[in-house]
């Protein structure tokens, strides 16, 4: 669980009258030594260095002196750590010179976690109120997950979830402490907003909290339509965390909204992934990684191929039983085919990119809903045909991630 005590090397161990090497070999070879921070650079934490503490921990250059009984609760990883045999060396955690060194946390994160172990009732109540410090609870959940404080982790995640689900959402409130998103964010606030969203999504994924993950993914999907920055963030997070549904939607959003370039596209010029510039013709120019460019081009090609099939062959459906008994089924079918051919050539549809299959099918659906001159198509068959369009849209939405992958043919152009 990444709780790694500081293990001295031969240089740290006083010379033995017989053999320095023999003395060093008493230590477990499986234990890894981390660089020792000079005592002069260490500082005691102002809040969580108790005079009656029984365990000194070092996080970064900060020393915490807390109580083993607090760290051992909730069947945490510290319980196991405290039972490990120390051999002949002085026990770690008993002095500032020999603290237990924790790796991978920041002093602020660990300080916020210790707050959860020592919080008083009114502090806990405040954490459930509209004035809660969301950043603190994120730290609590993250560190609790790392060191297996299961009930503490669950409590923090549930508190975060309830806070985010409040109506009206505090995420869009200018007085929300610790976290603030906007549906129309100024450019100066984008870096902070993107970092906060990323942190919450990564936390939910790490802790396996599906409800929080679904909530944050839904929020990011809303924000994608407001700024290409969020679309790129969604695309990158989906690749990193293997978020299948978000991946398909994010890649499609970038494909439809931006002219994209790989970081390798400019001769000798270093481009930064996620950088956005406006082109002379008004398009947004997005810099993506070579892998993302490959996936975008592959997705464009595959979606274009899907549309070519749909354009040439109208969706099929089963005629209703009444159509075959008291109606001219051939005329019903011919009316549907004529409608499909006519609408797939409409100017409104052709104004959409050929890879925008969902947009084109939605256009056809709207045209069908207001199509009032279908004298020779049975009414029940109209319902079935409309359902077929809905089902095709849903099928493509669900399979979007499968269009954006490496390999196979793809168009050698952007947009």
């Amino acid at each position: 669980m990444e709780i790694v005590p500081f293990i001295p090397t031969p240089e740290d161990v006083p010379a033995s009258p017989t053999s320095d090497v023999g003395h060093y070999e008493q230590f477990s070879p499986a234990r890894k030594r981390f660089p020792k921070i000079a005592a002069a650079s260490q500082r005691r934490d102002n809040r969580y260095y108790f005079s009656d503490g029984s365990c000194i921990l070092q996080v970064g250059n900060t020393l915490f002196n807390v109580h083993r009984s607090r760290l051992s609760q909730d069947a945490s990883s510290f319980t196991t750590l405290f039972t490990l045999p120390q051999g002949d060396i002085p026990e770690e955690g008993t002095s500032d010179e020999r603290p237990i060194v924790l790796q991978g946390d920041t002093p602020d994160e660990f300080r916020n976690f210790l707050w959860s172990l020592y919080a008083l009732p009114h502090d806990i109540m405040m954490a459930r109120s509209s004035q809660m410090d969301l950043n603190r609870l994120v730290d609590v959940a993250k560190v609790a997950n790392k060191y297996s404080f299961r009930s503490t982790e669950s409590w923090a995640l549930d508190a975060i979830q309830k806070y985010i689900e409040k109506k009206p959402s505090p995420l869009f409130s200018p007085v929300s402490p610790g976290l603030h998103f906007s549906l129309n964010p100024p450019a100066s606030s984008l870096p902070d907003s993107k970092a906060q969203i990323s942190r919450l999504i990564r936390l939910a994924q790490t802790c396996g909290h599906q409800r929080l993950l679904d909530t944050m993914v839904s929020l990011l999907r809303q924000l994608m339509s407001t700024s290409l920055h969020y679309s790129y963030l969604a695309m990158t997070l989906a690749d990193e965390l293997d978020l299948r549904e978000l991946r398909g939607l994010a890649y499609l959003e970038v494909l439809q909204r931006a002219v994209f370039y790989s970081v390798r596209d400019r001769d000798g010029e270093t481009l930064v992934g996620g950088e956005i510039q406006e082109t002379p013709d008004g398009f947004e120019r997005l810099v993506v990684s070579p892998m993302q460019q490959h996936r975008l081009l592959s997705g464009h090609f595959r979606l274009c191929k899907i549309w070519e099939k749909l354009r040439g062959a109208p969706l099929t459906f089963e005629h209703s039983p009444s159509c075959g008994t008291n109606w001219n089924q051939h005329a019903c079918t011919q009316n549907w085919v004529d409608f499909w051919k006519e609408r797939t050539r409409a100017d409104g549809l052709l104004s959409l990119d050929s890879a925008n299959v969902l947009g084109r099918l939605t256009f056809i659906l709207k045209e069908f809903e207001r199509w009032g001159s279908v004298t020779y198509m049975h009414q029940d068959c109209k319902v079935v045909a409309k359902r077929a369009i809905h089902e095709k849209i849903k099928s493509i939405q669900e399979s979007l991630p499968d269009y954006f992958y490496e390999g196979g043919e793809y168009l050698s152009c952007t947009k």
Side-chain angles (χ1 to χ4, degrees), residues 158-200:
D158 289 346
I160 293 171
Q161 180 68 39
K162 289 182 180 180
Y163 178 78
I164 292 175
E165 289 181 339
K166 286 183 178 180
K167 303 295 181 182
S169 174
L171 297 184
F172 301 105
S173 168
V175 297
S176 173
L179 185 63
H180 170 49
F181 304 135
S182 172
L183 287 176
N184 295 288
S188 60
S189 70
L190 275 169
D192 288 341
S193 178
K194 288 159 52 180
Q196 290 163 339
I197 293 172
S198 300
R199 193 175 185 214
L200 282 168

Coordinates of all heavy atoms in Angstrom, one line a residue, residues 158-200:
D158 N -19.2 9.5 -0.4 CA -20.7 9.8 -0.4 C -21.0 11.2 -0.1 O -21.9 11.8 -0.6 CB -21.3 8.9 0.7 CG -21.4 7.4 0.4 OD1 -21.1 7.1 -0.8 OD2 -21.6 6.6 1.3
A159 N -20.1 11.9 0.7 CA -20.3 13.3 1.0 C -20.1 14.1 -0.3 O -20.8 15.1 -0.6 CB -19.4 13.8 2.1
I160 N -19.1 13.8 -1.1 CA -18.8 14.4 -2.3 C -20.0 14.3 -3.3 O -20.4 15.2 -3.9 CB -17.5 13.9 -3.0 CG1 -16.3 14.3 -2.1 CG2 -17.3 14.4 -4.4 CD1 -15.0 13.6 -2.5
Q161 N -20.5 13.0 -3.4 CA -21.6 12.7 -4.3 C -22.8 13.6 -3.9 O -23.5 14.2 -4.8 CB -21.9 11.2 -4.2 CG -23.1 10.8 -5.1 CD -22.7 10.9 -6.6 OE1 -21.6 10.6 -7.0 NE2 -23.7 11.4 -7.4
K162 N -23.2 13.6 -2.6 CA -24.4 14.4 -2.2 C -24.2 15.8 -2.5 O -25.1 16.5 -2.9 CB -24.6 14.1 -0.7 CG -25.2 12.7 -0.5 CD -25.5 12.5 1.0 CE -26.0 11.1 1.3 NZ -26.3 10.8 2.7
Y163 N -23.0 16.3 -2.3 CA -22.7 17.8 -2.5 C -22.9 18.1 -4.0 O -23.5 19.1 -4.4 CB -21.3 18.1 -2.1 CG -20.9 19.5 -2.4 CD1 -21.3 20.5 -1.5 CD2 -20.1 19.8 -3.4 CE1 -20.9 21.9 -1.7 CE2 -19.7 21.2 -3.7 CZ -20.1 22.2 -2.8 OH -19.7 23.4 -3.1
I164 N -22.4 17.2 -4.9 CA -22.5 17.5 -6.3 C -23.9 17.4 -6.8 O -24.3 18.1 -7.8 CB -21.6 16.5 -7.1 CG1 -20.1 16.8 -6.8 CG2 -21.8 16.5 -8.6 CD1 -19.1 15.8 -7.4
E165 N -24.7 16.5 -6.2 CA -26.1 16.3 -6.7 C -27.1 17.3 -6.1 O -28.3 17.3 -6.5 CB -26.5 14.9 -6.3 CG -25.8 13.8 -7.1 CD -26.3 12.4 -6.7 OE1 -26.9 12.3 -5.5 OE2 -26.2 11.5 -7.4
K166 N -26.7 18.2 -5.3 CA -27.6 19.2 -4.8 C -28.2 20.1 -5.9 O -27.6 20.3 -6.9 CB -26.9 20.2 -3.8 CG -26.6 19.5 -2.4 CD -25.9 20.5 -1.5 CE -25.7 19.9 -0.1 NZ -25.0 20.8 0.8
K167 N -29.5 20.5 -5.7 CA -30.2 21.3 -6.6 C -30.5 22.7 -5.9 O -31.1 22.7 -4.9 CB -31.5 20.7 -7.1 CG -31.3 19.3 -7.7 CD -30.5 19.4 -9.0 CE -30.4 18.0 -9.6 NZ -29.6 18.1 -10.9
P168 N -30.1 23.8 -6.5 CA -29.3 23.9 -7.8 C -27.9 23.4 -7.5 O -27.4 23.5 -6.4 CB -29.4 25.4 -8.1 CG -29.6 26.0 -6.8 CD -30.5 25.1 -6.0
S169 N -27.2 23.0 -8.5 CA -25.9 22.4 -8.3 C -24.9 23.4 -7.8 O -24.7 24.5 -8.5 CB -25.4 21.8 -9.7 OG -24.1 21.4 -9.5
P170 N -24.2 23.2 -6.7 CA -23.2 24.1 -6.2 C -22.0 24.2 -7.2 O -21.2 25.1 -7.0 CB -22.8 23.5 -4.9 CG -23.1 22.1 -5.0 CD -24.3 22.0 -5.9
L171 N -21.8 23.2 -8.1 CA -20.7 23.3 -9.0 C -20.8 24.5 -9.9 O -19.8 24.9 -10.5 CB -20.7 22.0 -9.9 CG -20.5 20.7 -9.1 CD1 -20.3 19.6 -10.1 CD2 -19.2 20.8 -8.3
F172 N -22.0 25.0 -10.1 CA -22.2 26.2 -11.0 C -22.5 27.4 -10.2 O -22.9 28.4 -10.7 CB -23.3 25.9 -12.0 CG -23.0 24.7 -12.9 CD1 -23.7 23.5 -12.6 CD2 -22.0 24.8 -13.8 CE1 -23.5 22.4 -13.4 CE2 -21.8 23.6 -14.6 CZ -22.5 22.5 -14.4
S173 N -22.2 27.4 -8.9 CA -22.5 28.6 -8.0 C -21.2 29.3 -7.8 O -20.1 28.8 -7.5 CB -23.0 28.1 -6.7 OG -23.0 29.2 -5.8
P174 N -21.2 30.7 -8.0 CA -20.0 31.4 -7.8 C -19.5 31.5 -6.4 O -18.4 31.9 -6.1 CB -20.4 32.9 -8.2 CG -21.9 32.9 -8.1 CD -22.3 31.5 -8.4
V175 N -20.3 31.0 -5.4 CA -19.9 31.0 -4.0 C -19.5 29.6 -3.5 O -19.2 29.4 -2.4 CB -21.0 31.6 -3.1 CG1 -21.3 33.0 -3.4 CG2 -22.3 30.7 -3.2
S176 N -19.4 28.7 -4.4 CA -19.0 27.3 -4.1 C -17.6 27.3 -3.6 O -16.7 27.5 -4.4 CB -19.2 26.4 -5.3 OG -18.7 25.1 -5.0
P177 N -17.3 26.9 -2.3 CA -15.9 26.9 -1.9 C -15.2 25.7 -2.4 O -15.7 24.6 -2.4 CB -16.1 26.8 -0.3 CG -17.4 26.1 -0.1 CD -18.3 26.5 -1.3
G178 N -14.0 25.9 -2.8 CA -13.1 24.8 -3.2 C -13.3 24.3 -4.6 O -12.4 23.6 -5.2
L179 N -14.4 24.6 -5.3 CA -14.6 24.1 -6.6 C -15.7 24.9 -7.3 O -16.7 25.2 -6.7 CB -15.1 22.6 -6.5 CG -15.2 21.8 -7.8 CD1 -13.9 21.7 -8.5 CD2 -15.8 20.5 -7.6
H180 N -15.4 25.2 -8.6 CA -16.4 26.0 -9.3 C -16.3 25.7 -10.8 O -15.2 25.9 -11.4 CB -16.2 27.5 -9.0 CG -17.0 28.4 -9.9 ND1 -18.3 28.2 -10.1 CD2 -16.6 29.5 -10.7 CE1 -18.8 29.2 -11.0 NE2 -17.7 29.9 -11.3
F181 N -17.4 25.3 -11.4 CA -17.4 25.2 -12.8 C -18.4 26.2 -13.4 O -19.3 26.6 -12.7 CB -17.8 23.7 -13.2 CG -17.0 22.6 -12.6 CD1 -17.6 21.5 -12.1 CD2 -15.6 22.7 -12.6 CE1 -16.9 20.5 -11.5 CE2 -14.9 21.7 -12.1 CZ -15.5 20.6 -11.5
S182 N -18.2 26.5 -14.7 CA -19.2 27.4 -15.3 C -19.5 26.8 -16.7 O -18.6 26.3 -17.4 CB -18.6 28.8 -15.5 OG -19.4 29.6 -16.3
L183 N -20.7 27.0 -17.1 CA -21.1 26.5 -18.4 C -20.6 27.4 -19.5 O -20.5 27.0 -20.7 CB -22.7 26.4 -18.5 CG -23.3 25.2 -17.8 CD1 -24.8 25.3 -17.8 CD2 -22.8 23.9 -18.3
N184 N -20.2 28.6 -19.1 CA -19.5 29.5 -20.1 C -18.3 30.2 -19.4 O -18.3 31.3 -19.0 CB -20.5 30.6 -20.5 CG -21.7 30.1 -21.3 OD1 -21.5 29.7 -22.4 ND2 -22.8 30.1 -20.7
P185 N -17.3 29.4 -19.2 CA -16.1 29.8 -18.4 C -15.3 30.8 -19.1 O -15.0 30.7 -20.3 CB -15.4 28.5 -18.1 CG -15.7 27.7 -19.3 CD -17.1 28.0 -19.7
P186 N -14.8 31.8 -18.4 CA -13.8 32.7 -19.0 C -12.5 31.9 -19.2 O -12.2 30.9 -18.6 CB -13.6 33.8 -18.0 CG -14.0 33.2 -16.7 CD -15.1 32.2 -17.0
A187 N -11.7 32.4 -20.2 CA -10.5 31.6 -20.5 C -9.5 31.5 -19.4 O -8.9 30.5 -19.2 CB -9.7 32.4 -21.7
S188 N -9.5 32.5 -18.5 CA -8.6 32.5 -17.3 C -8.9 31.4 -16.3 O -8.1 30.9 -15.6 CB -8.6 33.8 -16.6 OG -9.9 34.2 -16.2
S189 N -10.2 30.9 -16.3 CA -10.6 29.9 -15.3 C -10.5 28.5 -15.9 O -10.7 27.6 -15.1 CB -12.1 30.2 -14.9 OG -13.0 29.9 -15.9
L190 N -10.3 28.3 -17.1 CA -10.3 27.0 -17.7 C -9.3 26.1 -17.1 O -9.6 24.9 -16.8 CB -10.1 27.1 -19.3 CG -11.3 27.4 -20.1 CD1 -11.0 27.7 -21.5 CD2 -12.3 26.2 -20.0
P191 N -8.0 26.5 -16.9 CA -7.0 25.5 -16.4 C -7.5 25.0 -15.0 O -7.4 23.8 -14.8 CB -5.7 26.4 -16.2 CG -5.9 27.4 -17.3 CD -7.4 27.8 -17.3
D192 N -8.0 25.8 -14.1 CA -8.4 25.3 -12.8 C -9.6 24.4 -12.9 O -9.7 23.4 -12.3 CB -8.8 26.5 -11.9 CG -7.5 27.3 -11.4 OD1 -6.4 26.7 -11.5 OD2 -7.7 28.5 -11.0
S193 N -10.5 24.8 -13.8 CA -11.8 24.0 -13.9 C -11.4 22.6 -14.5 O -11.9 21.6 -14.0 CB -12.7 24.8 -14.9 OG -13.9 24.0 -15.1
K194 N -10.6 22.6 -15.5 CA -10.2 21.3 -16.1 C -9.4 20.4 -15.1 O -9.7 19.2 -15.0 CB -9.3 21.6 -17.3 CG -10.1 22.1 -18.5 CD -9.2 22.8 -19.5 CE -8.0 22.0 -20.0 NZ -7.2 22.7 -21.0
A195 N -8.6 21.0 -14.3 CA -7.8 20.3 -13.3 C -8.8 19.7 -12.2 O -8.6 18.6 -11.8 CB -6.8 21.2 -12.6
Q196 N -9.8 20.5 -11.8 CA -10.7 20.0 -10.8 C -11.6 18.8 -11.3 O -11.8 17.8 -10.6 CB -11.6 21.2 -10.4 CG -10.8 22.2 -9.5 CD -11.5 23.5 -9.4 OE1 -12.4 23.8 -10.3 NE2 -11.2 24.3 -8.4
I197 N -12.0 19.0 -12.6 CA -12.8 17.9 -13.2 C -12.0 16.6 -13.3 O -12.4 15.5 -13.0 CB -13.3 18.3 -14.6 CG1 -14.4 19.5 -14.4 CG2 -14.0 17.2 -15.3 CD1 -14.8 20.1 -15.7
S198 N -10.8 16.8 -13.8 CA -9.9 15.6 -13.9 C -9.6 14.9 -12.6 O -9.7 13.7 -12.5 CB -8.5 16.1 -14.5 OG -8.7 16.7 -15.8
R199 N -9.5 15.7 -11.6 CA -9.2 15.2 -10.3 C -10.4 14.3 -9.7 O -10.2 13.2 -9.2 CB -8.8 16.3 -9.3 CG -8.2 15.7 -8.0 CD -7.8 16.9 -7.1 NE -7.1 16.3 -5.9 CZ -7.2 16.9 -4.7 NH1 -7.8 18.0 -4.5 NH2 -6.5 16.3 -3.7
L200 N -11.6 14.9 -9.9 CA -12.8 14.2 -9.4 C -13.0 12.9 -10.2 O -13.4 11.8 -9.7 CB -14.0 15.1 -9.5 CG -14.1 16.1 -8.4 CD1 -15.2 17.1 -8.7 CD2 -14.4 15.4 -7.1

